[in-house]
Amino acid sequence: MQVSMAAGDIVGKLYDALLKQYVDATSEQSLKSLNMLCVRLVFCLYAEDAGIFGAKNMFHDYLQRYSARDMRRVLIDLFKVLDTPEAQRDPYLDEDLKAFPYVNGGLFAEENIEIPQFTEEIRTLLLVNASADFDWSRISPTIFGAVFESTLNPATRRSGGMHYTSIENIHKVIDPLFLDDLQDEFARIKEMPNKKKRREALEAFQKKLAGLNFLDPACGSGNFLTETYLCLRRLENEIIRALTGGEIILGEMLNPIQVSIRQFYGIEINDFAVSVAKTALWIAESQMLQATEDIIHLNLEFLPLKTNANIIEGNALRLDWESVVPKEKLHYIMGNPPFVGGMMMTREQRDELAAAFPECKKIGEVDYVSGWYAKAAHFISETNIRCAFVSTNSICQGQAVPFVWKELFKLGMKFDFAYRTFRWDSEANIKAHVHCIIIGFSLTPKFNRKFICSDGALEYVDNINAYLLNMENIFVDSRSNPLCDVPKMRFGSMPRDGGAFIFSEEEKEILLSSEPSSGKWLCRYMGADEFINNKKRYCLWLVNANPSEFRKSKTVMARIERVRDFRLASKASATQKFAATPTLFCQIAQPDTDYIIVPGVSSEKRKYIPIGFMNKEVIASNLVQIIPDATLYHFGVLTSNVHMAWMRAVAGRLKSDYRYSKDIVYNNFPWPNPTEAQKEKIERTAQGILDARAQHADSSLADLYDELTMPQELRRAHRANDRAVMEAYGFWGKLNSEAACVAELMKMYRKLAGE
């Protein structure tokens, strides 16, 4: 890994230095040429260190003879030679060029790439930093693509939704998809006592490996394909070792290798990434060839390249996958499709998703990655193909779940294994921290080892539903009113003011010192951040205020004018209309009673979302949900472990933080039917939570609900409340896990909703 990361740094420096030499460094042709030039240079650097050019330092020694001003010309000459078979070369070619082998594979075929003049800086970078002082033979071809693509503009990488994958995370996909089974099969064959039958089984197993075909329909720089190839070849090398017993092989078995990069298919929209993916697979092929040579004690020819990976440049959501590989030939689909949220998609991406996933009724509500699941589900119909994708966790949370999975499950899709939300890190220099899931799926009826992995713990299960839980396939749809007879929840008031209505503590003091009478229009303002972290902010609240009074305040009038200007400048016509009433919030939802307040977003590290009661004089913002007319009983049930389990199962997420939704979480929540005594007990335990909080009035809810710092008396109060609520449901003493609790709630939901 360290070598590969260092290689990325070298490529980055070369890239930056070369870029400055282009006449028009912003043109598409120049940038494509530079990308291809970098790919060719890296291949040559690797080839000389790995010995596949022949003599060690061959590329370095050839270039060293020339000055910086000649290097452009000699590279053009070299690239042409590398693309020409020996028999077709100029017979009068210089000896130093004639010594280079024919490469084949198309890497050096394009003659029209733009190569700029070199400088002394570039010459030194190439000959010293990149060649003499660095050994490219030790690079990891799997990580190679990631670090190489780090030379691209980071903004380009983000806009394309691309994230680069560690080897460890790749194995979370490929191991359960196929590699575990292959390794188990090989282990069983090795244990066969009959030598003749064992040899026959080994030969058949090698043919099986050589017959497997893989597709990554968003392959990027090819790291899933490359790591899979390496794993298959390592397995094949073990077969060769077992068949030959470490002896030199002769005759028709001169080249015992059957696994080929021809078995690997990819679709990638970026032309540079296509080149990188092909080159990474060639490097992997070279490295595994050397490993085979060590087993059979013979030299095997690598050049000219005899095989080529089937990496196609194209838009995977527009392209017919059968034009890349016939589905009857394919065994596995895998990869890490682009991470682009529903609200972040371009119009073009939205159209692509709609074309790929015509069954989805709410294209704008689902992640771009859904298109790959839809394309795969249609593609694998009437086959035994198995698939696994890395995805943003949004597609298995909140309102997106029924929009994505209800239709795909109708096609017969079944989840074979799943990794619940975890942080997905890359090996690129600029790491991409994304909260992801992994889903293995197929249309075949049975998967031998169906499992869910959550926080590193593996659970073998009978079924995996769309929420990645071990329970029935139930979908919690958005609902505008509560499923049970409880008070309605609603958003707080939305200012849409550009911040003009809002005052900090300091701004409030300045206003009161200059215009004391204006204080009567300032109210405490409560959003999720203010509520959880005990921050004090205020808002200008002019509902029913007398214009003849507040017109006398320069500060108030200046703020009102700012609100009007902000709304007029908005691109949204609905916001522009509210410029006619600049004294008021756009949406006013403030109740005339005290209310329960629920933060819209809360940290996933908390066992309980902090919920509380709020005085009606405190203005709730649109970043919280409120429940007017709620009682201690409602508070007790909502703050219980039962409701938290439901919330964790069905709520959406912001990264991995809980995003509480009234239409998904609250309105669909199945409430208990307690006896009067049970209800009174919940009211007492709910008050106990409030009393325990009151003992720490100087602490914020963030302090009190941190699992490391939660006071003992507050934890005891919550446990008492949890028990009281579970008794009301009839769960106490019967359920021993959160998953079991959610399963029972889902059954209640299905009955109440008439699902």
Side-chain angles (χ1 to χ4, degrees), residues 688-748:
I689 291 172
L690 297 176
D691 292 343
R693 289 180 187 175
Q695 294 179 40
H696 302 274
D698 293 336
S699 297
S700 69
L701 291 171
D703 299 327
L704 297 179
Y705 283 86
D706 186 313
E707 280 299 295
L708 294 175
T709 60
M710 190 179 209
Q712 188 175 7
E713 58 274 18
L714 180 58
R715 197 181 296 277
R716 280 198 300 264
H718 268 286
R719 286 174 179 166
N721 185 69
D722 291 343
R723 176 169 181 166
V725 172
M726 290 188 75
E727 287 173 348
Y729 278 98
F731 293 170
W732 184 256
K734 297 180 180 179
L735 305 180
N736 58 7
S737 71
E738 184 166 298
C741 177
V742 175
E744 290 302 313
L745 291 172
M746 285 287 186
K747 291 176 185 176
M748 292 176 64

Side-chain angles (χ1 to χ4, degrees), residues 375-414:
K375 287 276 285 193
H378 288 101
F379 182 78
I380 66 176
S381 64
E382 301 179 357
T383 75
N384 292 320
I385 298 170
R386 296 196 180 279
C387 315
F389 287 143
V390 182
S391 314
T392 40
N393 55 10
S394 62
I395 60 172
C396 286
Q397 297 169 348
Q399 63 183 0
V401 174
F403 296 143
V404 175
W405 301 114
K406 188 177 283 189
E407 297 302 327
L408 295 185
F409 278 20
K410 288 178 184 176
L411 299 176
M413 179 187 284
K414 294 177 177 63

Side-chain angles (χ1 to χ4, degrees), residues 534-702:
N534 202 20
K535 293 182 179 179
K536 289 188 177 180
R537 289 210 298 169
Y538 304 83
C539 70
L540 199 57
W541 192 252
L542 297 174
V543 176
N544 298 323
N546 189 337
S548 65
E549 293 184 36
F550 65 71
R551 282 184 73 247
K552 298 174 183 176
S553 167
K554 290 182 179 180
T555 302
V556 170
M557 290 304 295
R559 293 283 185 134
I560 293 171
E561 189 170 352
R562 277 174 54 192
V563 172
R564 184 194 62 188
D565 292 345
F566 170 80
R567 293 176 181 176
L568 285 173
S570 173
K571 294 180 180 179
S573 58
T575 302
Q576 292 173 11
K577 290 177 182 177
F578 284 107
T581 54
T583 60
L584 302 175
F585 280 33
C586 277
Q587 295 174 18
I588 297 175
Q590 187 65 15
D592 54 10
T593 65
D594 293 349
Y595 55 91
I596 280 179
I597 183 170
V598 182
V601 176
S602 178
S603 171
E604 93 285 0
K605 295 178 181 178
R606 301 185 183 111
K607 184 177 179 181
Y608 304 93
I609 291 179
I611 296 173
F613 282 96
M614 196 58 57
N615 186 286
K616 64 182 179 180
E617 304 301 327
V618 177
I619 307 301
S621 89
N622 59 299
L623 298 180
V624 295
Q625 317 270 6
I626 62 174
I627 312 173
D629 303 313
T631 66
L632 274 172
Y633 164 71
H634 299 118
F635 171 75
V637 174
L638 289 177
T639 201
S640 71
N641 60 349
V642 176
H643 184 66
M644 293 300 148
W646 173 261
M647 180 278 302
R648 273 188 278 273
V650 303
R653 302 286 175 115
L654 184 63
K655 295 185 178 179
S656 62
D657 291 342
Y658 307 130
R659 187 164 59 186
Y660 195 101
S661 159
K662 70 179 182 68
D663 292 344
I664 294 292
V665 181
Y666 182 79
N667 288 346
N668 285 302
F669 179 57
W671 287 71
N673 292 307
T675 64
E676 197 60 38
Q678 287 172 334
K679 188 174 182 179
E680 289 175 359
K681 184 175 182 180
I682 292 171
E683 289 171 346
R684 290 196 301 273
T685 57
Q687 184 61 55
I689 291 172
L690 297 176
D691 292 343
R693 289 180 187 175
Q695 294 179 40
H696 302 274
D698 293 336
S699 297
S700 69
L701 291 171

